[in-house]
């Protein structure tokens, strides 16, 4: 029963985030909240003078509803992306990656959000699946390292495992700014989908392979780079951790939507029409073995090459470490272990680490990037690659749809 004029006067006093929320109540509120005069004021506040926009011969009162709203949101996104997507043009001298998420995303004020959904596709609450109150958790820790970041969530109350049928990870970034690096407190947040995993966590814990464990928790890798831990005592969730590679991470955090991830254009290996053996030359590999806080092993192999003679199953094989070349051997900085913590407990799991791999082609462009969890096992068969003590000889293997990495470590 409130007249439109009264509602419009109320909406003029709201902040832009509350105005967006009010516009989702009903069709009438959506129509009133899309007032062109109101959104033109927000355009001047967050974008700048309207003189840069082409003049419309139609009076502003007669324009289509939400015309200035759509224009304001579009220009705010273009202004933000122009600053942060084009800020780093030269590749990093060490990693070869052009985007610098550790410097960019922290200035933008990006936060990472974890949400669970139930069997019906709705949000899984702490009480039941598909409940009215969805559970969305803001990250507790973010660790920025050389080529990837680790995001961790731990809460006192996680949803019941029997109700979880999947999870999603979003990057939440501000859309309005007062300056180049000052997010507007009265602005709105844009969500960009980073990862969606559909799986029954209860069944996965029963049938999945344990990556590592200690006296309190067991670790499971649900997806490459996505780690889920459960308590041994009551089989409840302990924490969730996701490792995100820096390659195109800024674009993934800023250019996606809440329901669709940003996808980079696929690149293939350049064809070598000079070498009759179709050899791959001049490749570079940056390999880092780490936990959430510290590096365990870091190495960079340059001028990698292979030939057609060593192709196996249509895959090119690189062997950067050779037995006779002592200079190619790499020393671990510390013992392989994975420290963890929650709100109440903490511990260290041995022989588990995070593997970050960046492969650059002969043009210096990222050809294959990977981040995932690996566990080191004692090798039952001692290869002739090195002469290590059998009891201290361990190996691990990481694989995905693009390739695989085999690593051997001994004392």
């Amino acid at each position: 029963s409130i007249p439109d004029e009264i509602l419009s006067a109320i909406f003029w006093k709201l902040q832009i985030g509350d105005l967006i929320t009010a516009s989702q109540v009903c069709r009438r509120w959506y129509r009133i909240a899309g007032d062109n005069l109101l959104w033109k004021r927000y355009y001047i506040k967050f974008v700048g003078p309207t003189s840069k926009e082409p003049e419309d011969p139609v009076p502003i009162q007669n324009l289509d509803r939400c015309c200035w709203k759509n224009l304001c949101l579009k220009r705010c996104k273009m202004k933000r992306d122009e600053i942060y997507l084009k800020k780093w043009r030269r590749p990093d001298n060490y990693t070869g990656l052009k985007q610098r998420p550790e410097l960019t995303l922290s200035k933008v004020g990006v936060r990472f959000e974890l949400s669970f959904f139930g069997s019906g596709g709705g949000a899984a609450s702490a009480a039941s699946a598909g409940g009215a109150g969805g559970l969305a958790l803001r990250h507790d820790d973010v660790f920025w390292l050389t080529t990837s970041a680790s995001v961790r969530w731990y809460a006192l109350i996680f949803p019941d495992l029997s109700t979880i049928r999947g999870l999603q990870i979003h990057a939440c970034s501000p859309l309005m700014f007062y300056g180049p690096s000052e997010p507007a407190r009265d602005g709105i947040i844009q969500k960009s989908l980073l990862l969606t995993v559909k799986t029954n966590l209860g069944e996965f814990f029963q049938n999945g392979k344990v990556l590592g464990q200690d006296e309190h928790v067991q670790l499971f890798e649900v997806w490459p780079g996505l780690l889920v831990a459960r308590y041994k005592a009551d089989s409840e969730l302990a924490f969730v951790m996701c490792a995100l590679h820096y390659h195109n991470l800024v674009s993934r955090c800023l250019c996606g939507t809440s329901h669709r991830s940003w996808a980079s254009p696929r690149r293939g290996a350049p064809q070598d029409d000079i070498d009759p053996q179709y050899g791959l030359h001049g490749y570079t590999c940056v390999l880092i073995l780490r936990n959430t806080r510290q590096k365990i092993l870091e190495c960079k192999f340059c001028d990698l090459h292979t030939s057609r003679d060593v192709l196996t199953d249509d895959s090119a094989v690189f062997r950067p470490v050779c037995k006779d070349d002592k200079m190619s051997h790499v020393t671990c900085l510390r013992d392989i272990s994975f420290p963890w913590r929650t709100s109440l407990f903490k511990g260290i799991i041995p022989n588990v680490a995070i593997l970050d791999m960046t492969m650059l082609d002969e043009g210096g462009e990222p050809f294959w990037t990977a981040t995932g969890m690996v566990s080191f096992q004692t090798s039952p068969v001692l290869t002739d690659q090195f002469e290590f003590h059998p009891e201290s000889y361990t190996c691990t293997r990481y694989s995905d749809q693009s390739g695989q990495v085999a690593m051997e470590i001994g004392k």
Side-chain angles (χ1 to χ4, degrees), residues 158-215:
F158 274 116
D160 187 2
L161 286 177
S162 62
T163 67
I164 299 177
R165 296 298 180 268
L167 54 87
Q168 289 184 331
I169 297 177
H170 288 87
C172 305
S173 57
L175 197 63
M176 281 79 174
F177 288 80
Y178 291 136
S181 59
E182 184 182 359
R185 295 183 178 180
D186 54 345
I188 60 177
I189 299 297
Q190 175 201 356
K191 285 189 176 182
S192 180
L193 181 63
L194 297 179
L195 180 64
T196 299
V197 177
K198 296 181 179 180
T199 182
N200 188 326
L201 283 185
E203 296 180 357
F204 183 85
F205 285 153
Q206 294 179 359
N207 305 323
K209 179 182 178 181
V210 178
L211 188 67
Q213 59 184 335
D214 60 4
E215 58 181 350

Side-chain angles (χ1 to χ4, degrees), residues 242-269:
C242 183
L244 303 171
H245 198 278
Y246 284 168
H247 180 49
N248 289 330
L249 182 58
V250 177
S251 299
R252 293 172 58 195
C253 291
L254 301 184
C255 299
T257 66
S258 59
H259 303 289
R260 186 174 59 184
S261 301
W262 179 87
S264 61
R266 297 183 62 88
R267 296 180 64 253

